[in-house]
Amino acid sequence: MPWCDDCSKFWNPNSLSPDGTCPTCGRVIGEPPDTHVPWHFWILVAAAVVYLGWRVVQGIEWLLS
């Protein structure tokens, strides 16, 4: 947890500014938070696209029959 000497306060890494500075005094106290999307999120998105695509195909078949 980043510690700011000027403010005498611990900061949650997610509450820091995007460039890793203290929100109160602006001093650099930590690394910027990691904001990349995890790989398993993209697997979930791909599975949802495949599922919904298949449901569209089934709906079109149902309308045509």
Side-chain angles (χ1 to χ4, degrees):
M1 297 206 31
W3 169 260
C4 182
D5 290 325
D6 295 341
C7 300
S8 297
K9 186 173 181 181
F10 283 110
W11 288 98
N12 183 348
N14 293 332
S15 65
L16 294 178
S17 299
D19 57 354
T21 58
C22 176
T24 306
C25 65
R27 182 174 171 234
V28 176
I29 57 173
E31 295 181 15
D34 190 18
T35 57
H36 75 281
V37 180
W39 62 270
H40 47 83
F41 172 76
W42 295 115
I43 291 177
L44 177 67
V45 169
V49 167
V50 168
Y51 172 74
L52 292 175
W54 177 248
R55 296 301 289 186
V56 167
V57 169
Q58 285 181 333
I60 292 171
E61 287 178 353
W62 177 73
L63 287 174
L64 295 176
S65 61

